[in-house]
Amino acid sequence: MAGAPRIRIGCSGWNYRSWRGALYPPGLPTSRWLARYAERFDTVEVNATFYRLLRPETAARWLEQVPDDFLFAVKGSRYLTHMRRLRDMEQGLERFYAGLGPLAGSSRLGPVLWQLPERFPRDDERLAAALERLPPGRHAWEFRHPSWFVEPVYELLRAHGMALVHGDHPDRPFDEVRVTADFAFLRFHHGRRGRRGNYAPTELDEWAARIDRLGRDVEVLAYFNNDWEAFAVRNALGLADRLHVGPDRH
């Protein structure tokens, strides 16, 4: 979108009861949680679409609850990535995108995130075929097997203008930040220095400096997935405060 923020910080989902008090005031009905979330963040990663197909009427209701400049990043179906493992995708893609209709027809659909399972090793031929089948739009790929993190895979993503996702987790030191598109997609799964997966202030300081540098060249989308104990909310707000980005920080 013209004039869109260069850096967006959010969380992976918004429908967590443990966020009462941290983000949602006591007594706020769940039907108003997305609207409240959008008061503090300008983007969200939708993980529900990984598990089940979205209904168009649900997507339409979401659009009614957020501002015009809000962005939904949507996770691709696990049927395609984990069950079919990128084979015979045509019918599955058609069904997946049918549910996204209202979002796809608006300016508020961000990248579609395709996450491959940990036990899916590198297969350039299968990946290339999948990249060719995807519809126009922005796409981001998160690999969990270390064999994918090599230059030929990066070149393949660059050729299609798709992003390599950085999934930040202490158990995956091989997962590196590489820019392969006109945007970077970062997922924060588990902190290294904080308690039980929380990100320590020093980690947020370091990531703020790194994202600031990235944002000078490409758009940056960053999502916190450590949703337990409201860590994601607090970490995302802390990072947004450090970068002075978000709805109430301009």
Side-chain angles (χ1 to χ4, degrees), residues 179-249:
V179 175
T180 59
D182 61 358
F183 68 100
F185 198 116
L186 311 176
R187 303 186 80 211
F188 294 97
H189 296 297
H190 196 286
R192 288 165 172 77
R193 301 175 204 152
R195 61 185 178 89
R196 296 190 298 279
N198 188 33
Y199 280 79
T202 54
E203 290 181 275
L204 297 180
D205 290 342
E206 292 163 8
W207 272 109
R210 196 172 188 182
I211 290 172
D212 182 61
R213 291 192 296 270
L214 273 175
R216 297 171 193 173
D217 298 318
V218 296
E219 181 183 1
V220 181
L221 303 174
Y223 302 96
F224 282 84
N225 196 30
N226 54 341
D227 52 77
W228 57 93
E229 299 182 51
F231 290 150
V233 170
R234 296 187 178 98
N235 292 165
L237 289 173
L239 185 58
D241 286 343
R242 285 164 169 81
L243 289 162
H244 306 291
V245 299
D248 54 358
R249 300 176 189 85

Side-chain angles (χ1 to χ4, degrees), residues 45 73-76 81 97 110-116 127 131 134 137-143 157 161-166 180-181 183-187 221 223:
E45 179 191 280
V74 178
K75 194 171 183 181
T81 56
Y97 274 90
V112 177
L113 164 68
W114 303 98
Q115 178 196 301
L116 300 189
L127 177 63
L131 301 187
L134 292 180
R138 291 192 290 175
H139 300 274
W141 289 82
E142 183 176 11
F143 305 114
L157 293 176
M162 298 186 187
L164 173 73
V165 173
H166 172 66
T180 59
F183 68 100
F185 198 116
L186 311 176
R187 303 186 80 211
L221 303 174
Y223 302 96

Side-chain angles (χ1 to χ4, degrees), residues 110-125:
V112 177
L113 164 68
W114 303 98
Q115 178 196 301
L116 300 189
E118 282 185 294
R119 295 184 181 180
F120 188 168
R122 177 185 170 193
D123 187 329
D124 291 10
E125 184 176 350

Side-chain angles (χ1 to χ4, degrees), residues 147-179:
S147 61
W148 290 100
F149 293 87
V150 292
E151 193 58 37
V153 173
Y154 306 153
E155 284 299 326
L156 190 57
L157 293 176
R158 288 190 191 103
H160 289 81
M162 298 186 187
L164 173 73
V165 173
H166 172 66
D168 190 63
H169 195 292
D171 291 343
R172 293 191 285 275
F174 51 82
D175 192 326
E176 59 183 348
V177 177
R178 285 291 190 100
V179 175

